[in-house]
Amino acid sequence: MTTAELKLATTSATTLSTTMKALVYHGLGKYAWEDKPRPAIQDPGDAIVRITTSTICGTDLHILKGDLASVTDGRILGHEGIGVIEQIGTGVSEFHAGDKVIISCVTACLKCDFCRRGMYSHCRDGGWILGNTLDGTQAQYVRIPHADGSLYNFPVGGDEEELVMLSDILPTGFECGVLNGQVKPGDTVAIVGAGPVGLAVLLTAQFYSPAAIFMIDLDDKRLAVAKKFGATTLINSADGQAAHHVMELTEGAGVDVVIEAVGLPATFAICQDIVAAGGRIANVGVHGKPVELHMEKLWDRNISLTTRLVDTVTTPMLLKVVRSGKLQPGKLVTHRFAMNDIIKAYDTFGNAAKEGALKVVLTNGGSR
Amino acid sequence: MTTAELKLATTSATTLSTTMKALVYHGLGKYAWEDKPRPAIQDPGDAIVRITTSTICGTDLHILKGDLASVTDGRILGHEGIGVIEQIGTGVSEFHAGDKVIISCVTACLKCDFCRRGMYSHCRDGGWILGNTLDGTQAQYVRIPHADGSLYNFPVGGDEEELVMLSDILPTGFECGVLNGQVKPGDTVAIVGAGPVGLAVLLTAQFYSPAAIFMIDLDDKRLAVAKKFGATTLINSADGQAAHHVMELTEGAGVDVVIEAVGLPATFAICQDIVAAGGRIANVGVHGKPVELHMEKLWDRNISLTTRLVDTVTTPMLLKVVRSGKLQPGKLVTHRFAMNDIIKAYDTFGNAAKEGALKVVLTNGGSR
Amino acid sequence: MTTAELKLATTSATTLSTTMKALVYHGLGKYAWEDKPRPAIQDPGDAIVRITTSTICGTDLHILKGDLASVTDGRILGHEGIGVIEQIGTGVSEFHAGDKVIISCVTACLKCDFCRRGMYSHCRDGGWILGNTLDGTQAQYVRIPHADGSLYNFPVGGDEEELVMLSDILPTGFECGVLNGQVKPGDTVAIVGAGPVGLAVLLTAQFYSPAAIFMIDLDDKRLAVAKKFGATTLINSADGQAAHHVMELTEGAGVDVVIEAVGLPATFAICQDIVAAGGRIANVGVHGKPVELHMEKLWDRNISLTTRLVDTVTTPMLLKVVRSGKLQPGKLVTHRFAMNDIIKAYDTFGNAAKEGALKVVLTNGGSR
Amino acid sequence: MTTAELKLATTSATTLSTTMKALVYHGLGKYAWEDKPRPAIQDPGDAIVRITTSTICGTDLHILKGDLASVTDGRILGHEGIGVIEQIGTGVSEFHAGDKVIISCVTACLKCDFCRRGMYSHCRDGGWILGNTLDGTQAQYVRIPHADGSLYNFPVGGDEEELVMLSDILPTGFECGVLNGQVKPGDTVAIVGAGPVGLAVLLTAQFYSPAAIFMIDLDDKRLAVAKKFGATTLINSADGQAAHHVMELTEGAGVDVVIEAVGLPATFAICQDIVAAGGRIANVGVHGKPVELHMEKLWDRNISLTTRLVDTVTTPMLLKVVRSGKLQPGKLVTHRFAMNDIIKAYDTFGNAAKEGALKVVLTNGGSR
């Protein structure tokens, strides 16, 4: 199909200006808020979304540090956002221009074998591509491929700041941590890492009424937040004795579920030390190095260990729970910036410990 | 309760001779077929079983090498067997003197929290204790604690040689490998290790009609056996290219389920290399050392890894399947010895590769 | 074993008085608080429990009406209770004289095939027998067979009034209603019947954070209680339009889970009318008659319908949740009586609607 | 989008003749093989498939009897078929003109909430519509909406006669009967009805190695076929004693899984009578009337009862199992006709008992 045909095929015929502002990565440590061409429909399944709210993820910081080779110079960052659809391709059936939507961090064609199994994370024409191999959401506009599988209707009366947490952090904490960890009523749960993702685990673990949630972190400020969010026991791991404390607290039994939300060999080691016989270790953290797995101790302990890139299959369910009032993800927001001030927002988020930052919210105000 | 009272309480009043023959461990590499006192009822839940058939497990060889510190000088080895109940304690309700029984390698009190959850392997007063911390089944008689939870009725018309495989190897392969690996119809399965346990995995994986089963081993003779037992593809890993071959055969996808039945870092490494996104690694092998887990590659692959000491909760189901003719565990038996010749049996089993040995069966013939 | 031997075998040698008071059923509508012989150990697995707290179940009223042929003249009623162990048989290993315990309404031998599968309700030597085919707990003492499988340790600092709800009503609501109904976060749940069991369903359904819980009943007072207990929508079914209201509220979709807690054809009919495609009907109510099942409408609706007699396998988990403070079953208690006043308690409970009664608690005060 | 644009948008530009032959329903009992306009692309997700193989379903006979009000005069029947894609719409990404495909009886948009949950049967823009509310496959050509979700690649070297069984009957038997019935190794299974669907249940139940499969039918010829297909016990229900026989054979226990493959109150009654405590009744049959459900007997039996319209989510898995040789659906084919002789084929299939017919295969031979 030619571009001309596509233009005809789109349902909205607005005359668009040709440029926009975006946060662009320029290699190790370099990034700028600069002019970029506005995205246009390329495939029948595409939607162009005008971003109204976005946020910054820990993964974005990793990109800036050069940790992700898949992200190249010139890429617009960001994989979280709320916006309004400007245009749709001819193959989009579930959305229309003008719809307000939540953008999922994972793009799903819905047709491939992985999508059919609910493993959108490994979609053969999607997965995590936004702000990675495709231009992302820290911009005024973004092109969303496979829009029908990758967008969700923003509910009437919803709060953008709350619901932008559904783009990534809440399904990540819930699917990779809580669902994979199979948290059950009465369980004892330990969460290693009280950063934003660990806190998202904490919030969503409570869907299942565990009897106790131990929160383990080096930072007392984050632990204090965890307390407010429902952790029953706080353990500062600075003394290197976190595992020892957990074993004492559980009278040597260990915990039913331990959720790794950091991504380091040291935190992974804690998980192995405290998992109960018959327990589950659910990994959420992004790891850059191998870890030592003590199979000589674990082979007969009847444990399971899971890994997962978020599939975002639970987004509709999380929406229902947020709307019912049982989950208040707005709690995770500590700072707010205009999108134009995104460089400041990165500074704040990059100094999270000092700034007491969890999630920083970015809003595109004004007219388009 | 005094011993005198217990004697009155037992249902069988046969006058027993006071000694028997047994295979006794005497520290690193030393063992003998020698006289030992006959076991007597010690607790109300005990049964005394006269062994008619037993067998040797790979774990017994580990013990002889001094690998298991829990096994001390003077211990009678063996945790597999068929026999006839001689005496029962007052608390035994499911069995009677004269019953022919299958002895489970795992002792289950049925009352503790682990037993209640079906995790007999971690029974607070049982688990794997026979031939480990308690005298075992390579003897003329054995005391079985918690008999109601640890014995199974030998079916009328059953074959001892077949059914002694239900003591350990079949539930081990099935529970730790097949159930934990969640083998499903149409799956591609790889089994690393074609020893007796790997072959038990192979036999029981076929309960679920996988589309393909790759068998990986260093020994062509064992692979040839695997072929006869239903493996669809044989891979000799001697060239260090097993993972490469599997990835080629699966067009880069890897396998849905990979089952580790060896217990070494090298074989565990193969498992990590060939598991598909969304796949399961089920560990069956007994490990003596830590392994390197490539979390930097696996964190986003949506895999699960499980460990398990057999619970033997599936023994009743396995009995049904054996009796229906859909499983013929007798295939695993390659050698037969009189119990009196157990030293020779150990020689044969200890040189399994050379002797082509899988399971060697021991029978206590003659009168008692 | 002779009675003499048993007496020797028991661990407590207290001289017991030979009579006690108990609530005895004497056929259709007749019952009395009268003298009965104190129970004694009969089997090695027995415990004699001195009752400190008991309660009355709707099933007890059914018995008085002559609905249960299994209950015969002379039977002591009651299958719920808290007490202190006076004596144990020689086969009891998990409890000792002096232990305070929660008595489960279901007796479990733990050894039979059903118990092994966690279906204690169908235990081949137990199930619901207390106050049915065996003398029950509305007495000063009760004999509990298979004590190790049928008693639970009363936690230090626990409240008897709260924890007597764990004998029956909470596991019944939770297992038959919530677990079988597979309540999940975000679900829409309807509970038909706001009696004590329906309210127990309501309390325990919230373990899983459903988005909405519709409570359907004829009685506005009970609906008002349901509101306090967490129901999100109240529907008085007196107008015969309950199903219609639910379908309107769900925009024609119906509910994900519908739990029948009454046991009548009319209430069962509501369930069929409001279950969503792909939904679950979990029956909790005791039925006396067949119902009409509209298979001509349901055959292609992908629904499941479950029945269950409570297994009480979740009692340990419920205990943990109560102790964590996430479940406060004491809310169900509306009236309190001394055990000596049990006839008055029956009068109150028998006029539940008028009296506003949910659970009436009975306590055996004073010395023994 | 205009028709002209759509024509441009299609990938194949073959000049098509404007008519074709098709089996057309004309109201109660009337149908003819007659000329109809060839279907054309109407929506971007459509594909036009030239039928090479089709078959007749029992449901088609129901339609002819006027049982399905949704099917109106002029409708082309048929919801099963193999064919070659002639044209695709612009939104089709997984298939191309020239691809040989298996047509699923269920149309799936993949985008709606039901499709996302794997409940394609209730797709909001699909479900069972072919040969129902949309023209079907008993024709030379058919339009398949949502082609990406409703077609499957025909494997190289596949057999059309075998694989047309994947359009409906195999997934129906497997999903509604075997999966919903949760058949497990060692189970005792009863199948009520040995027609084509019952036999499809029989073939696919064996994926899970049940220990025994009882086949219940009125027709000894069909029972004889069942024997060849793997049934272990045959029960002719003509004497009205089928339930009695099953209970005797199971020593009063009943069966673990009972699968209803008829759709009548009488056969449904058998299911209730023979399901074991803790067992499952999986309904496959299409029911036209309510049934009496004996809740007064079943309320405490811990059973589940399921209904399901096939979702065809297991088609990819079934394809793998067919290709592995573990399932040979060609066994179900008893008669073959040229599509032009479809009226004769209906005569044969309509007299299935007399003709010994199971599945009759129709082939469109010759050039197009």
Side-chain angles (χ1 to χ4, degrees):
Chain A
M1 196 180 295
T2 67
T3 311
E5 281 169 346
L6 270 162
K7 190 166 275 173
L8 282 169
T10 60
T11 59
S12 161
T14 322
T15 305
L16 300 168
S17 90
T18 53
T19 61
M20 66 168 183
K21 289 283 189 188
L23 192 280
V24 183
Y25 172 69
H26 288 300
L28 186 52
K30 286 180 282 185
Y31 55 104
W33 179 247
E34 63 188 31
D35 282 345
K36 287 284 274 184
R38 272 201 194 178
I41 298 285
Q42 295 180 20
D43 289 302
D46 287 353
I48 304 300
V49 178
R50 177 170 54 86
I51 298 292
T52 53
T53 297
S54 187
T55 179
I56 308 175
C57 180
T59 306
D60 297 324
L61 300 182
H62 279 290
I63 293 170
L64 297 183
K65 286 180 198 150
D67 287 353
L68 278 98
S70 54
V71 187
T72 53
D73 187 353
R75 175 68 59 237
I76 300 173
L77 299 188
H79 49 266
E80 301 167 275
I82 306 283
V84 176
I85 293 179
E86 292 278 318
Q87 277 190 299
I88 58 168
T90 53
V92 175
S93 59
E94 309 298 296
F95 297 97
H96 303 92
D99 287 352
K100 185 178 259 196
V101 291
I102 301 166
I103 299 167
S104 176
C105 63
V106 159
T107 300
C109 79
L110 301 180
K111 297 175 176 179
C112 72
D113 52 344
F114 282 115
C115 282
R116 296 280 192 113
R117 293 163 57 187
M119 266 181 70
Y120 301 169
S121 58
H122 288 72
C123 172
R124 294 193 184 272
D125 194 43
W128 174 45
I129 53 177
L130 287 181
N132 177 3
T133 57
L134 231 59
D135 283 336
T137 58
Q138 291 168 3
Q140 291 179 309
Y141 295 87
V142 66
R143 179 177 72 91
I144 302 294
H146 302 300
D148 283 336
S150 313
L151 299 176
Y152 293 88
N153 280 308
F154 189 92
V156 176
D159 179 79
E160 293 199 20
E161 193 170 291
E162 279 214 333
L163 292 174
V164 75
M165 301 300 143
L166 286 180
S167 284
D168 178 350
I169 191 167
L170 278 176
T172 293
F174 181 60
E175 295 179 9
C176 308
V178 179
L179 282 190
N180 273 19
Q182 299 172 46
V183 176
K184 294 190 308 298
D187 272 357
T188 300
V189 176
I191 301 169
V192 183
V197 174
L199 292 169
V201 172
L202 173 59
L203 289 175
T204 55
Q206 294 171 71
F207 292 174
Y208 294 99
S209 310
I213 307 180
F214 300 164
M215 202 80 189
I216 302 171
D217 201 286
L218 293 163
D219 181 343
D220 280 333
K221 275 187 291 185
R222 290 192 154 181
L223 289 173
V225 174
K227 185 80 182 174
K228 271 192 253 167
F229 284 18
T232 58
T233 306
L234 307 178
I235 297 172
N236 188 309
S237 51
D239 63 358
Q241 299 295 307
H244 178 71
H245 296 319
V246 170
M247 295 313 283
E248 273 196 342
L249 285 162
T250 57
E251 296 173 1
V255 298
D256 300 306
V257 184
V258 52
I259 297 169
E260 211 282 358
V262 179
L264 294 173
T267 46
F268 194 87
I270 292 173
C271 298
Q272 299 182 52
D273 286 344
I274 65 177
V275 65
R280 287 85 66 197
I281 301 173
N283 187 78
V284 186
V286 178
H287 289 256
K289 292 188 231 169
V291 301
E292 192 173 41
L293 183 68
H294 288 284
M295 285 298 283
E296 83 283 8
K297 290 180 190 167
L298 294 171
W299 74 268
D300 66 352
R301 294 280 286 170
N302 299 38
I303 63 130
S304 77
L305 163 64
T306 57
T307 70
R308 187 166 179 175
L309 181 63
V310 64
D311 293 303
T312 68
V313 281
T314 61
T315 305
M317 184 247 260
L318 290 166
L319 258 170
K320 287 183 195 168
V321 185
V322 171
R323 301 203 68 202
S324 77
K326 293 193 194 305
L327 174 65
Q328 288 141 1
K331 289 179 183 174
L332 291 165
V333 179
T334 54
H335 295 74
R336 291 157 191 86
F337 295 88
M339 188 75 87
N340 281 324
D341 292 328
I342 190 168
I343 302 295
K344 281 190 216 161
Y346 263 93
D347 288 346
T348 299
F349 189 63
N351 290 290
K354 191 183 135 214
E355 304 281 353
L358 294 171
K359 291 297 280 183
V360 303
V361 163
L362 303 158
T363 46
N364 264 320
S367 67
R368 48 181 187 154
Chain B
M1 196 180 295
T2 67
T3 310
E5 280 170 345
L6 269 161
K7 192 167 275 175
L8 280 169
T10 60
T11 60
S12 160
T14 320
T15 305
L16 300 168
S17 90
T18 52
T19 61
M20 66 168 184
K21 288 283 189 187
L23 193 280
V24 183
Y25 171 68
H26 287 301
L28 185 52
K30 285 180 282 185
Y31 55 105
W33 179 247
E34 65 189 30
D35 281 345
K36 287 282 273 185
R38 275 202 193 177
I41 299 285
Q42 294 181 19
D43 289 301
D46 287 353
I48 304 299
V49 178
R50 177 171 52 87
I51 298 292
T52 54
T53 297
S54 188
T55 178
I56 308 175
C57 179
T59 306
D60 296 323
L61 299 183
H62 279 290
I63 293 171
L64 296 184
K65 287 180 196 149
D67 289 352
L68 279 96
S70 53
V71 187
T72 52
D73 187 353
R75 175 70 58 236
I76 301 174
L77 300 187
H79 50 267
E80 301 166 276
I82 306 283
V84 176
I85 294 179
E86 292 278 318
Q87 279 189 298
I88 57 170
T90 53
V92 176
S93 59
E94 309 297 295
F95 298 97
H96 304 93
D99 288 352
K100 185 178 258 195
V101 291
I102 301 166
I103 299 167
S104 176
C105 63
V106 159
T107 300
C109 79
L110 302 179
K111 297 173 175 179
C112 72
D113 53 343
F114 282 115
C115 282
R116 296 281 193 113
R117 292 163 58 189
M119 266 181 70
Y120 301 169
S121 57
H122 289 71
C123 171
R124 294 192 184 272
D125 194 42
W128 174 45
I129 53 176
L130 286 183
N132 177 2
T133 56
L134 231 59
D135 284 335
T137 59
Q138 292 168 2
Q140 290 179 309
Y141 295 87
V142 65
R143 180 177 71 91
I144 303 295
H146 302 298
D148 283 335
S150 313
L151 299 176
Y152 292 87
N153 280 307
F154 189 93
V156 176
D159 178 82
E160 293 199 19
E161 194 170 291
E162 279 214 334
L163 292 174
V164 75
M165 300 300 143
L166 286 179
S167 283
D168 178 350
I169 192 167
L170 279 176
T172 294
F174 181 60
E175 295 179 8
C176 308
V178 178
L179 282 190
N180 273 19
Q182 299 173 47
V183 176
K184 293 190 308 296
D187 271 358
T188 299
V189 176
I191 302 168
V192 184
V197 175
L199 293 170
V201 172
L202 174 58
L203 289 175
T204 55
Q206 294 172 70
F207 292 173
Y208 294 99
S209 310
I213 308 179
F214 300 164
M215 202 81 192
I216 302 171
D217 200 288
L218 293 163
D219 180 343
D220 280 332
K221 274 187 291 187
R222 289 191 156 182
L223 289 174
V225 173
K227 185 80 181 175
K228 271 191 255 169
F229 284 18
T232 58
T233 307
L234 307 179
I235 298 171
N236 188 310
S237 52
D239 63 358
Q241 299 295 308
H244 178 71
H245 296 319
V246 170
M247 294 313 282
E248 275 196 340
L249 286 162
T250 57
E251 298 173 0
V255 297
D256 300 306
V257 184
V258 51
I259 298 170
E260 213 281 357
V262 179
L264 294 172
T267 45
F268 194 87
I270 293 174
C271 298
Q272 300 182 52
D273 286 344
I274 66 176
V275 65
R280 286 87 65 199
I281 301 173
N283 187 77
V284 187
V286 178
H287 289 256
K289 293 187 229 170
V291 301
E292 193 173 41
L293 183 69
H294 289 283
M295 285 298 285
E296 83 283 8
K297 291 181 190 167
L298 294 172
W299 74 268
D300 65 353
R301 294 280 287 169
N302 299 38
I303 64 130
S304 77
L305 163 64
T306 57
T307 70
R308 186 167 180 175
L309 181 63
V310 64
D311 294 303
T312 69
V313 282
T314 61
T315 305
M317 184 245 262
L318 290 167
L319 258 171
K320 287 184 195 168
V321 184
V322 170
R323 301 203 66 202
S324 77
K326 293 193 195 306
L327 174 64
Q328 287 139 2
K331 289 180 183 174
L332 291 164
V333 179
T334 54
H335 294 75
R336 290 158 191 86
F337 294 89
M339 188 75 88
N340 281 324
D341 292 327
I342 190 167
I343 302 296
K344 282 191 216 163
Y346 264 92
D347 288 347
T348 299
F349 189 65
N351 290 289
K354 190 181 136 217
E355 303 282 352
L358 295 171
K359 291 297 279 185
V360 303
V361 163
L362 302 159
T363 46
N364 264 319
S367 66
R368 51 180 188 157
Chain C
M1 197 180 293
T2 67
T3 310
E5 280 169 345
L6 269 162
K7 191 166 275 174
L8 282 169
T10 59
T11 60
S12 160
T14 322
T15 304
L16 301 167
S17 90
T18 52
T19 61
M20 65 169 183
K21 288 283 189 187
L23 193 280
V24 183
Y25 172 69
H26 288 301
L28 185 52
K30 286 180 280 185
Y31 55 104
W33 179 247
E34 64 188 31
D35 282 345
K36 288 282 274 186
R38 272 201 195 179
I41 299 285
Q42 295 180 20
D43 289 302
D46 287 352
I48 304 300
V49 178
R50 177 171 52 87
I51 298 292
T52 54
T53 297
S54 187
T55 179
I56 308 174
C57 180
T59 306
D60 296 324
L61 299 182
H62 279 290
I63 293 170
L64 297 184
K65 287 178 197 151
D67 288 351
L68 279 97
S70 53
V71 187
T72 53
D73 187 352
R75 175 69 58 237
I76 300 173
L77 299 188
H79 50 266
E80 302 166 276
I82 306 282
V84 177
I85 294 178
E86 291 278 318
Q87 277 191 298
I88 56 169
T90 53
V92 176
S93 58
E94 308 298 295
F95 298 97
H96 303 93
D99 287 352
K100 186 178 257 195
V101 291
I102 301 166
I103 299 168
S104 176
C105 64
V106 159
T107 300
C109 79
L110 301 180
K111 297 175 175 178
C112 72
D113 52 344
F114 282 115
C115 282
R116 296 282 192 114
R117 293 162 58 188
M119 266 180 70
Y120 301 169
S121 58
H122 288 71
C123 172
R124 293 192 186 273
D125 194 43
W128 174 44
I129 54 177
L130 286 182
N132 177 3
T133 56
L134 230 60
D135 283 336
T137 58
Q138 291 168 2
Q140 291 179 309
Y141 295 86
V142 65
R143 179 178 71 91
I144 303 294
H146 302 298
D148 283 335
S150 314
L151 299 176
Y152 293 88
N153 280 308
F154 189 92
V156 176
D159 178 81
E160 294 200 19
E161 193 170 293
E162 279 214 332
L163 292 174
V164 75
M165 301 299 143
L166 286 180
S167 284
D168 178 350
I169 192 166
L170 279 176
T172 293
F174 181 61
E175 296 180 9
C176 308
V178 178
L179 283 190
N180 272 20
Q182 299 172 46
V183 176
K184 294 190 308 295
D187 272 357
T188 299
V189 177
I191 301 169
V192 183
V197 175
L199 293 170
V201 172
L202 174 59
L203 289 175
T204 56
Q206 294 172 71
F207 292 174
Y208 294 98
S209 309
I213 307 180
F214 300 164
M215 203 79 191
I216 301 171
D217 201 286
L218 292 163
D219 180 343
D220 280 332
K221 275 187 293 187
R222 290 192 155 181
L223 289 174
V225 175
K227 185 80 183 173
K228 271 192 255 168
F229 284 19
T232 58
T233 306
L234 307 178
I235 298 172
N236 188 311
S237 51
D239 63 358
Q241 298 295 307
H244 178 72
H245 296 318
V246 171
M247 295 313 283
E248 274 196 342
L249 286 161
T250 57
E251 298 172 1
V255 298
D256 300 306
V257 184
V258 51
I259 297 170
E260 211 281 359
V262 179
L264 294 172
T267 46
F268 195 87
I270 294 173
C271 298
Q272 299 183 52
D273 286 344
I274 65 177
V275 64
R280 285 87 64 199
I281 300 173
N283 186 78
V284 186
V286 178
H287 288 258
K289 292 186 228 171
V291 301
E292 193 173 41
L293 183 69
H294 288 284
M295 286 298 284
E296 83 283 8
K297 291 180 191 168
L298 294 172
W299 73 268
D300 66 351
R301 293 281 287 170
N302 300 35
I303 63 131
S304 76
L305 163 64
T306 57
T307 70
R308 187 166 179 175
L309 181 63
V310 65
D311 294 303
T312 68
V313 281
T314 61
T315 305
M317 184 247 261
L318 290 166
L319 257 170
K320 288 184 194 168
V321 185
V322 170
R323 302 202 67 203
S324 77
K326 293 192 194 306
L327 175 64
Q328 287 141 1
K331 289 179 183 175
L332 291 164
V333 179
T334 54
H335 295 74
R336 290 156 191 87
F337 295 89
M339 188 75 88
N340 280 325
D341 292 328
I342 190 168
I343 302 295
K344 281 191 216 161
Y346 263 93
D347 288 346
T348 299
F349 189 64
N351 290 289
K354 189 182 136 217
E355 303 282 352
L358 294 172
K359 292 296 282 184
V360 303
V361 163
L362 303 159
T363 46
N364 265 319
S367 66
R368 50 181 186 153
Chain D
M1 196 180 295
T2 67
T3 310
E5 280 170 345
L6 268 163
K7 191 166 277 174
L8 281 169
T10 60
T11 60
S12 160
T14 321
T15 305
L16 299 169
S17 90
T18 53
T19 62
M20 65 167 184
K21 289 283 190 187
L23 193 278
V24 183
Y25 171 68
H26 288 301
L28 185 52
K30 284 181 281 185
Y31 54 104
W33 178 246
E34 64 189 30
D35 282 345
K36 287 284 271 185
R38 273 201 194 179
I41 298 285
Q42 295 181 20
D43 289 303
D46 287 353
I48 304 300
V49 178
R50 176 171 53 87
I51 297 292
T52 54
T53 296
S54 187
T55 178
I56 308 175
C57 179
T59 306
D60 296 323
L61 299 182
H62 279 290
I63 294 171
L64 296 185
K65 286 178 198 150
D67 289 352
L68 279 96
S70 53
V71 187
T72 52
D73 187 352
R75 175 68 59 239
I76 300 174
L77 300 188
H79 50 266
E80 302 166 274
I82 305 284
V84 176
I85 294 178
E86 292 278 317
Q87 279 189 297
I88 57 170
T90 53
V92 176
S93 59
E94 308 298 295
F95 297 97
H96 304 93
D99 287 353
K100 185 177 258 194
V101 291
I102 301 166
I103 299 166
S104 176
C105 63
V106 159
T107 299
C109 78
L110 302 180
K111 297 173 175 180
C112 72
D113 53 343
F114 282 115
C115 282
R116 297 282 192 110
R117 292 163 59 187
M119 266 181 71
Y120 301 168
S121 58
H122 289 71
C123 172
R124 294 193 185 272
D125 193 43
W128 174 45
I129 53 176
L130 286 182
N132 178 4
T133 56
L134 231 59
D135 284 336
T137 59
Q138 292 168 3
Q140 290 179 309
Y141 295 86
V142 65
R143 180 176 72 91
I144 303 294
H146 301 300
D148 283 336
S150 314
L151 299 176
Y152 293 87
N153 281 307
F154 189 92
V156 176
D159 178 81
E160 294 199 18
E161 193 171 293
E162 279 213 335
L163 292 174
V164 76
M165 300 301 142
L166 287 179
S167 284
D168 178 349
I169 191 167
L170 279 176
T172 293
F174 181 60
E175 295 179 7
C176 308
V178 178
L179 283 190
N180 272 20
Q182 300 173 45
V183 176
K184 294 191 308 296
D187 272 357
T188 300
V189 177
I191 302 169
V192 184
V197 174
L199 293 170
V201 172
L202 173 59
L203 289 174
T204 56
Q206 295 172 69
F207 292 175
Y208 294 99
S209 310
I213 308 180
F214 300 163
M215 202 81 192
I216 301 171
D217 201 286
L218 292 163
D219 180 344
D220 281 331
K221 275 187 291 184
R222 289 191 155 182
L223 289 173
V225 174
K227 185 81 182 175
K228 272 192 254 168
F229 284 18
T232 57
T233 305
L234 307 179
I235 297 172
N236 189 308
S237 51
D239 63 358
Q241 298 296 308
H244 179 70
H245 296 320
V246 170
M247 294 313 282
E248 275 197 342
L249 285 163
T250 57
E251 298 172 0
V255 298
D256 300 305
V257 185
V258 51
I259 298 170
E260 212 281 359
V262 179
L264 294 172
T267 46
F268 195 87
I270 294 173
C271 298
Q272 300 183 52
D273 286 343
I274 65 177
V275 65
R280 286 86 65 198
I281 301 174
N283 186 78
V284 187
V286 178
H287 289 257
K289 292 187 230 171
V291 301
E292 193 172 42
L293 184 69
H294 288 284
M295 286 298 284
E296 82 284 9
K297 291 181 190 167
L298 293 172
W299 73 269
D300 66 351
R301 294 280 286 169
N302 299 38
I303 63 130
S304 76
L305 162 64
T306 57
T307 70
R308 186 167 180 176
L309 181 63
V310 64
D311 294 303
T312 69
V313 283
T314 61
T315 305
M317 184 247 259
L318 290 167
L319 257 169
K320 287 184 194 168
V321 184
V322 170
R323 301 203 67 201
S324 77
K326 292 193 195 306
L327 175 63
Q328 288 140 1
K331 288 179 184 175
L332 291 165
V333 179
T334 54
H335 295 74
R336 289 156 191 88
F337 295 88
M339 187 76 87
N340 281 325
D341 293 328
I342 190 168
I343 303 296
K344 279 190 217 163
Y346 264 92
D347 288 346
T348 299
F349 189 64
N351 290 289
K354 190 183 136 214
E355 302 282 351
L358 294 171
K359 290 298 279 185
V360 302
V361 164
L362 302 159
T363 47
N364 264 319
S367 65
R368 48 181 189 157

